[in-house]
Amino acid sequence: MAQPTTEPDAPAPAASAASEEGRDLVRDVLGRIGDKWSVVVVCRLGGTTRRFNELRRLSAPITQRMLSATLRGLERDGLVTRTVHDTKPPRVDYALTPRGLGLLQVVRPLAGWAEDNATEIRDSRAAFDAR
Amino acid sequence: MAQPTTEPDAPAPAASAASEEGRDLVRDVLGRIGDKWSVVVVCRLGGTTRRFNELRRLSAPITQRMLSATLRGLERDGLVTRTVHDTKPPRVDYALTPRGLGLLQVVRPLAGWAEDNATEIRDSRAAFDAR
DNA sequence: CGGTATCCGATATGATACTG
DNA sequence: CAGTATCATATCGGATACCG
């Protein structure tokens, strides 16, 4: 980011998320995909291209408003493409970009973990709340 | 849902998160770790055990309140253990449980992806907002 | 040291109605 | 079909102060 001059040598971020502002950035990115629906939508998109209402059914019970907002956020981050076909009735296709596919690769294991551990976690919560 | 009778063979949920209530559960779990700090704290804990303020420094700029709340949430889900040593001054150790270590395995790649793509995503956002 | 209690504003999300 | 606009609310999370 625009450090024009005077770099002694310090290129290597070395460990993870070293720089101060780098960590802010990483938390921003995680916050984006950490909203209620992004992970669901990315997983539902997968490697194929889907239309709006198709995606909505697959991601139920997402509301129209939230799907729209989620997709715009993902598009803003360069994770999905939005293609408008000028037909009647209108048709809009969404698909993951290469960057979005990269996200899918790391997010699918997460969703899998959540699924695998869901019932045990629910039990842990119940036990914790019981005392 | 609830195909009462006559299942020819259909045992496999095949794809991910098949059952209706299963999906709710999965979204609950994802919502938990999708808050602002859980991923950071889990990564900072890693395989070692840390004290409260130590963790707080490592997770800066988290507030005391949020670290406390985040840790309690993770403990509730059976992802971290909380060990109180009755010394003076008090000392409390936190560590990931086996289940928490499992989460770490899938969350670390996610954090790595966020780090790797942070600047490009920031640029995409700027470009999107510009128009 | 390791918290909890309280207050409060920002944001995320849902419900509903309307549109090209 | 694929959205947007508006309103209401719940929750998140920061600041601050106090406690054992």
Side-chain angles (χ1 to χ4, degrees):
Chain A
M1 346 39 195
Q3 239 53 306
T5 58
T6 65
E7 301 243 73
D9 57 325
S16 54
S19 74
E20 302 302 316
E21 64 181 21
R23 293 214 291 204
D24 288 8
L25 207 47
V26 168
R27 264 186 296 104
D28 269 13
V29 172
L30 289 177
R32 178 86 241 345
I33 66 170
D35 65 8
K36 191 169 181 179
W37 295 107
S38 289
V39 169
V40 173
V41 170
V42 166
C43 287
R44 286 306 182 244
L45 267 175
T48 72
T49 140
R50 304 268 189 205
R51 299 181 60 176
F52 185 85
N53 278 328
E54 180 183 13
L55 210 41
R56 185 179 175 186
R57 280 188 302 275
L58 292 171
S59 309
I62 196 173
T63 63
Q64 197 170 33
R65 181 174 119 72
M66 286 316 297
L67 179 57
S68 181
T70 300
L71 286 169
R72 204 168 332 107
L74 294 171
E75 187 192 2
R76 185 169 100 106
D77 285 3
L79 299 169
V80 313
T81 57
R82 177 175 184 272
T83 310
V84 182
H85 302 271
D86 208 9
T87 62
K88 177 184 175 290
R91 174 203 182 98
V92 182
D93 286 337
Y94 293 92
L96 293 179
T97 63
R99 191 186 301 162
L101 287 169
L103 175 59
L104 180 64
Q105 296 302 311
V106 297
V107 126
R108 227 166 5 193
L110 176 62
W113 178 90
E115 195 178 344
D116 293 344
N117 291 268
T119 62
E120 283 151 310
I121 287 177
R122 192 204 33 180
D123 293 349
S124 286
R125 287 176 183 179
F128 186 90
D129 294 346
R131 55 115 285 138
Chain B
M1 349 54 194
Q3 244 56 304
T5 58
T6 64
E7 299 246 73
D9 56 326
S16 52
S19 75
E20 301 302 317
E21 64 180 21
R23 293 214 291 204
D24 289 6
L25 207 47
V26 168
R27 264 186 297 102
D28 270 12
V29 172
L30 289 177
R32 180 82 242 345
I33 67 170
D35 65 6
K36 192 169 181 180
W37 296 108
S38 289
V39 169
V40 172
V41 169
V42 166
C43 286
R44 287 306 182 243
L45 267 176
T48 71
T49 141
R50 304 267 188 205
R51 299 180 60 176
F52 185 86
N53 278 328
E54 179 184 14
L55 209 41
R56 186 178 174 185
R57 281 189 302 274
L58 291 171
S59 309
I62 195 175
T63 62
Q64 194 171 35
R65 181 174 116 76
M66 287 316 296
L67 179 55
S68 181
T70 300
L71 285 169
R72 205 168 330 108
L74 294 171
E75 187 192 1
R76 186 169 99 108
D77 285 2
L79 299 169
V80 311
T81 56
R82 178 174 184 271
T83 311
V84 182
H85 303 271
D86 207 10
T87 61
K88 179 187 172 281
R91 173 203 182 100
V92 182
D93 286 336
Y94 293 93
L96 293 179
T97 63
R99 191 187 300 163
L101 287 169
L103 174 59
L104 180 64
Q105 297 301 312
V106 297
V107 126
R108 230 172 356 198
L110 176 63
W113 177 91
E115 196 179 344
D116 294 344
N117 292 268
T119 64
E120 283 151 309
I121 288 178
R122 192 205 35 180
D123 293 348
S124 286
R125 288 177 183 178
F128 187 92
D129 295 346
R131 52 119 293 139

